[in-house]
Amino acid sequence: MSTLAFMFASALAIAPGSPLEAGVARAQGATAHIAVQAIHAKDAKEKSTAPAKVVRRLSKAFPGYASFHLLGKSQWDLAEGKTGRHKLPNDSELSVTYKGPQAKFLKLHVAIPPKLRTDVRVKDGGTFYQAGMSYKGGILILSINARKK
């Protein structure tokens, strides 16, 4: 094959709409930024130590609790199929696996063995909460944000 013919064939292979271009786009969208915050919610009236923006959101989502304390946070850039882990203050471990994009959503597998194993779809840039584990007179709330990188 001549150099000119090779260059022409290469240009056609990655032309818009070609299968190769779709594969490149899929590979480029196959990384997600995941941010996790572990928060202790208590019904006792005391000064919250979590950032004010977090306290406002959590007060609406969890109206039965009066104070929120940020205990830890992690963030990862995960390729499809990769897992990030966060040690929780109750000695269990959260794992979040990025399972890939799906339209305007990101698919995640969230686990806190042996209590929780679930698949979720979160809107790109969205945040969801996993809550309810008892912890020191309150509950642990995990705030998980996911966005395409």
Side-chain angles (χ1 to χ4, degrees):
M1 179 182 285
S2 74
T3 304
L4 185 57
F6 178 76
M7 289 172 50
F8 180 71
S10 297
L12 283 178
I14 57 174
S18 72
L20 183 58
E21 184 207 31
V24 169
R26 195 169 29 255
Q28 288 173 341
T31 301
H33 181 78
I34 310 296
V36 174
Q37 294 181 323
I39 297 138
H40 182 206
K42 296 167 64 175
D43 56 6
K45 287 249 183 212
E46 55 188 53
K47 183 175 168 86
S48 292
T49 60
K53 183 177 178 182
V54 172
V55 171
R56 280 193 302 275
R57 276 196 221 141
L58 292 175
S59 294
K60 290 178 185 174
F62 299 92
Y65 294 91
S67 63
F68 301 93
H69 305 280
L70 181 63
L71 300 177
K73 56 186 177 177
S74 295
Q75 57 184 350
W76 317 280
D77 291 329
L78 299 177
E80 193 169 332
K82 297 299 179 184
T83 301
R85 300 182 191 289
H86 180 83
K87 180 81 169 162
L88 298 174
N90 64 357
D91 291 327
S92 53
E93 183 179 69
L94 166 72
S95 68
V96 179
T97 303
Y98 178 48
K99 297 181 79 174
Q102 183 181 43
K104 295 180 181 180
F105 295 88
L106 287 83
K107 296 184 296 183
L108 305 176
H109 178 76
V110 178
I112 305 171
K115 300 171 185 149
L116 172 75
R117 287 183 175 83
T118 189
D119 291 325
V120 297
R121 286 182 346 140
V122 60
K123 191 171 183 177
D124 186 12
T127 300
F128 68 97
Y129 302 110
Q130 171 57 48
M133 289 184 290
S134 294
Y135 181 71
K136 293 187 177 180
I139 61 168
L140 282 178
I141 300 172
L142 302 177
S143 171
I144 303 171
N145 175 271
R147 65 177 168 82
K148 290 179 186 173
K149 182 103 165 106

